[in-house]
């Protein structure tokens, strides 16, 4: 399982490859794997050294906590306190693109480094068959942030992961392109009021229909999700939102029946204006257009409804001014 070359190795997820990946994880190594949202960079959640390796490889601020991925709801119940709201959400949306932040149980074996010593832990049961097979083969919780360097665009193919971590001997299980394409919805249920920390494919309306009430996080909510770091999902080129006419040298991320005249290149998020299709193609599109040949990436307007909230959230952060905030070099230091 240890790749001989110092480069990432993309593996077809056969039974043997999954067993090898589980052994590598038990030995404290990192394994990248597909989920239905984006690719994750997995480590044994109970192994301090492996967790530190994730932060180091991603160059991620240590105050930014990780999600513990579990094989089923019972596994989540052994880690965190599941109240009635959480039970309803788990029953309705798991396995799937919903992460719940809940109080840690006293006996929770997940490394405290994974959540910067917080009394809470984020848990999610992913729906991708390869992710579930890996979790079952490993037999415990896996922490897995998106498999990109901190602050950069999340990966939705195995090749994206390999491109992020060139020069690193990392095993990557190939599950094809991710069907959803934006990271899971994150809901904080650790207090009396449920708050939406990160919009995703489980929409605000779907959450409210299930648990009745959902607030926006306040400025004092800790920790800040990277979704709350202003500049994130950042390509190298500037990003211009709500573009309705071309400027010289721009490439376009196009959505719906828009006029593409004058752009140097066009990447269609969705010709029909379908938010689900656009989400699945968003990060691939940002990567495809992020080239020196252009001076900026323009983006067509996208309605804020349903999955549009998650799309616009990621696009606003991709467009945010990087001078003011540099998530890759945080004040809190990197481990
Ligand atoms: O779809 C996804 O969630 C992907 C796949 C791989 O599962 N993972 C992912 O992980 O996006 P990451 O680390 O890139 O994002 C985790 C999000 C961050 O916004 C983080 O701040 C938040 O979850 N989070 C994790 N633990 C938390 C906690 N205890 N309290 C509040 N927010 C938390
Ligand atoms: Mg991420």
């Amino acid at each position: 399982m240890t790749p001989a070359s110092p480069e990432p190795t993309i593996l077809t997820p056969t039974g043997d490859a999954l067993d090898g990946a589980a052994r590598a994880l038990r030995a404290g190594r990192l394994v990248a794997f597909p989920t239905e949202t984006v690719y994750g960079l997995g480590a044994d959640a109970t192994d301090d050294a492996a967790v530190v390796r994730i932060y180091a490889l991603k160059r991620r601020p240590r105050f930014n906590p990780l999600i513990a991925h579990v094989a089923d709801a019972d596994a989540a119940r052994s880690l965190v306190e599941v109240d009635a709201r959480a039970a309803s959400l788990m029953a309705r949306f798991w396995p799937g693109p919903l992460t719940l932040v809940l109080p840690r149980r006293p006996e929770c074996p997940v490394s405290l480094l994974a959540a910067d010593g917080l009394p809470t832990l984020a848990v999610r049961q992913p729906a991708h068959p390869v992710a579930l097979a890996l979790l079952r083969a490993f037999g415990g919780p896996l922490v897995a942030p998106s498999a990109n360097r901190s602050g950069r665009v999340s990966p939705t193919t195995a090749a994206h992961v390999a491109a992020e971590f060139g020069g690193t001997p990392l095993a990557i299980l190939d599950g094809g392109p991710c069907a959803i394409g934006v990271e899971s919805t994150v809901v904080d249920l650790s207090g009396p009021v449920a708050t939406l920390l990160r919009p995703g494919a489980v929409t605000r309306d779907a959450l409210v229909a299930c648990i009745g009430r959902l607030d926006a996080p306040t400025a004092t909510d800790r920790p800040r999700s990277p979704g709350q770091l202003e500049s994130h999902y950042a390509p190298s080129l500037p990003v211009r939102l709500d573009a309705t006419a071309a400027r010289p040298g721009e490439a376009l991320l196009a959505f719906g029946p828009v006029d593409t005249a004058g752009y140097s290149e066009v990447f269609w998020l969705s010709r029909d204006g379908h938010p689900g299709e656009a989400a699945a193609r968003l990060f691939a599109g940002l990567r495809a257009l992020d080239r020196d040949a252009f001076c900026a990436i323009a983006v067509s307007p996208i309605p804020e409804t349903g999955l549009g909230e998650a799309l616009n959230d990621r696009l606003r952060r991709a467009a945010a001014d990087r001078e003011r905030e540099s998530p890759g070099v945080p004040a809190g230091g990197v481990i």
Side-chain angles (χ1 to χ4, degrees):
M1 186 66 196
T2 311
S5 83
E7 289 300 314
T9 311
I10 295 179
L11 302 168
T12 302
T14 58
D16 281 353
L18 287 163
D19 288 344
R23 275 197 305 279
L25 290 163
R26 275 181 221 116
R29 291 203 289 278
L30 309 185
V31 174
F33 63 92
T35 81
E36 73 280 25
T37 57
V38 300
Y39 275 71
L41 184 62
D44 178 351
T46 67
D47 180 340
D48 287 342
V51 171
V52 168
R53 251 170 237 130
I54 285 192
Y55 282 95
L57 184 58
K58 276 190 61 110
R59 302 193 199 117
R60 175 167 170 128
R62 68 166 169 268
F63 60 75
N64 189 358
L66 304 174
I67 298 169
H69 294 67
V70 292
D72 53 41
D74 283 344
R77 287 173 192 276
S78 71
L79 306 178
V80 290
E81 310 280 359
V82 174
D83 65 9
R85 298 168 305 178
S88 307
L89 289 169
M90 284 157 60
R92 172 77 182 80
F93 298 110
W94 278 15
L98 177 66
T99 295
L100 302 176
V101 175
L102 292 163
R104 274 176 85 104
R105 293 176 72 98
E107 67 276 25
C108 173
V110 171
S111 166
L112 285 165
L113 298 175
D116 198 24
L118 289 167
T120 58
L121 182 68
V123 290
R124 158 162 129 83
Q125 184 195 12
H128 197 292
V130 174
L132 289 171
L134 181 66
L135 283 161
R136 280 192 290 265
F138 176 65
L142 293 174
V143 280
S146 51
N148 53 281
R149 305 269 188 195
S150 188
R152 310 299 300 184
V153 177
S154 294
T156 53
T157 66
H160 291 165
V161 181
E164 283 291 315
F165 299 116
T168 307
L170 174 72
I172 305 168
L173 294 170
D174 190 352
C178 300
I180 292 177
V182 293
E183 305 86 345
S184 60
T185 305
V186 181
V187 176
D188 187 349
L189 293 173
S190 62
V193 179
T195 55
L196 180 61
L197 295 181
R198 182 172 72 182
V202 175
T203 62
R204 179 186 294 277
D205 290 351
L207 293 165
V208 170
C210 188
I211 54 171
R213 180 175 165 192
L214 190 67
D215 282 16
T218 64
T220 53
D221 277 339
R222 283 209 66 246
R224 301 164 75 208
S225 285
Q228 295 167 273
L229 285 174
E230 199 164 310
S231 170
H232 201 69
Y233 311 104
S236 302
L237 288 180
V239 175
R240 184 169 72 89
L241 303 180
D242 295 321
T244 49
R247 293 182 188 167
E250 282 183 336
L252 177 70
L253 278 180
F255 180 86
V258 293
D259 181 8
T260 60
Y263 290 101
S264 301
E265 188 163 319
V266 177
F267 183 101
W268 283 98
L269 291 175
S270 171
R271 284 179 192 272
D272 306 331
H274 189 280
E277 185 187 13
R281 293 173 60 74
L282 175 65
F283 292 140
L286 282 170
R287 281 171 189 272
L289 297 184
D290 194 18
R291 306 203 308 268
D292 289 344
F294 315 121
C295 65
I297 301 173
V299 189
S300 309
I302 300 176
E304 188 71 17
T305 47
L307 192 48
E309 183 178 1
L311 280 164
N312 284 316
D313 170 77
R314 305 310 189 274
L315 283 165
R316 274 193 292 272
R317 292 175 205 293
D321 183 350
R322 289 150 216 172
E323 298 301 312
R324 277 184 287 133
E325 187 149 23
S326 174
V329 190
V334 179
I335 56 174

